[in-house]
Amino acid sequence: EAQVTQNPRYLITVTGKKLTVTCSQNMNHEYMSWYRQDPGLGLRQIYYSMNVEVTDKGDVPEGYKVSRKEKRNFPLILESPSPNQTSLYFCASSPSRQGSTDTQYFGPGTRLTVL
Amino acid sequence: AQSVTQLDSHVSVSEGTPVLLRCNYSSSYSPSLFWYVQHPNKGLQLLLKYTSAATLVKGINGFEAEFKKSETSFHLTKPSAHMSDAAEYFCVVSDQRSNYQLIWGAGTKLIIKP
């Protein structure tokens, strides 16, 4: 089944403890992206990647890192999480490199709470 | 810079009546525009998209949207609301000048009254 998977789905952690949220797609998509969703703010793009080893900052990259070593994986890393990073996170992928003109396929979301 | 404004945070309609969700955008270049839907506790799904072809775009579940450049609008409509349409709807814009970043509106929650 064609899909975008994220793990974990739920995570409660403490301030400063490094964490990684994994994202994987099995559709051979070029473009991948991370978003956070907060009430009243819609989705805000954190980072995106148009190709392996190519990543770009979105609107809210501070406090996050990403890597794209393989086409299918695009992990989101929080080196030192803080409570203001408590949010619902979505990973998405898209077939073309200029993925923002194409349909985005979303993962199920990861609800992160930082205490 | 490009931006998206969804003019209503909540819209409430009765089942069987028309739906109108309003979206205005700001973009200097030819934009790509999308509507996504998010049902409660579910992921996001594309409803429809405009990418410089026909200005009236038809999507899934009977929804459609019209790109009006002169009004910089991309309103979402449906002739007759169904209970299953209750969800949050997001308008999204992208253009070449912004290096293909996607800018999302804050969302409109659609409430369907029986």
Side-chain angles (χ1 to χ4, degrees), chain A residues 31 35 37 40 42-43 45 48 57-59 90 98 100-104 106, chain B residues 32 34 36 38 43-44 46 49 51 90 94 99-106:
Chain A
Y31 184 99
Y35 299 89
Q37 182 178 20
L43 272 75
Q45 196 171 36
Y48 62 101
K57 294 178 181 178
D59 285 329
F90 287 101
Q98 294 162 359
S100 58
T101 61
D102 212 339
T103 303
Q104 304 261 311
F106 285 84
Chain B
S32 295
F34 307 80
Y36 281 84
Q38 186 178 30
L44 289 127
L46 179 72
K49 63 181 178 182
T51 53
F90 295 95
S94 171
N99 198 31
Y100 301 105
Q101 282 188 42
L102 285 161
I103 304 298
W104 291 65

Side-chain angles (χ1 to χ4, degrees), chain B residues 13-15 29 46 64 67 70 85 88 100 102-103 107:
Chain B
V13 303
S14 297
E15 191 175 21
Y29 281 11
L46 179 72
E64 62 182 38
F67 173 67
S70 61
D85 295 328
E88 190 156 22
Y100 301 105
L102 285 161
I103 304 298

Side-chain angles (χ1 to χ4, degrees), chain B residues 2-62:
Chain B
Q2 59 178 342
S3 65
V4 177
T5 303
Q6 291 184 242
L7 296 157
D8 306 290
S9 60
H10 293 79
V11 169
S12 179
V13 303
S14 297
E15 191 175 21
T17 64
V19 174
L20 170 64
L21 305 184
R22 298 181 294 166
C23 172
N24 285 106
Y25 69 92
S26 169
S27 173
S28 298
Y29 281 11
S30 297
S32 295
L33 291 154
F34 307 80
W35 277 98
Y36 281 84
V37 60
Q38 186 178 30
H39 286 94
N41 300 315
K42 296 266 180 78
L44 289 127
Q45 181 183 21
L46 179 72
L47 265 183
L48 50 81
K49 63 181 178 182
Y50 166 78
T51 53
S52 75
T55 56
L56 182 62
V57 182
K58 293 189 185 300
I60 61 172
N61 301 334

Side-chain angles (χ1 to χ4, degrees), chain A residues 20-105:
Chain A
T20 299
V21 184
T22 64
C23 173
S24 183
Q25 50 94 4
N26 61 2
M27 296 170 279
N28 202 37
H29 284 174
E30 302 281 348
Y31 184 99
M32 296 186 76
S33 182
W34 275 104
Y35 299 89
R36 60 178 290 171
Q37 182 178 20
D38 301 290
L41 296 177
L43 272 75
R44 292 179 290 168
Q45 196 171 36
I46 303 171
Y47 272 95
Y48 62 101
S49 168
M50 290 195 266
N51 203 350
V52 174
E53 301 291 1
V54 177
T55 62
D56 283 293
K57 294 178 181 178
D59 285 329
V60 289
E62 294 78 21
Y64 303 94
K65 284 173 60 176
V66 292
S67 68
R68 187 94 183 271
K69 294 187 172 58
E70 312 163 276
K71 199 173 193 179
R72 61 183 294 132
N73 295 322
F74 191 46
L76 179 70
I77 303 153
L78 285 71
E79 294 269 2
S80 182
S82 62
N84 64 12
Q85 292 178 299
T86 292
S87 188
L88 179 59
Y89 291 86
F90 287 101
C91 180
S93 72
S94 191
S96 60
R97 285 185 184 178
Q98 294 162 359
S100 58
T101 61
D102 212 339
T103 303
Q104 304 261 311
Y105 295 84

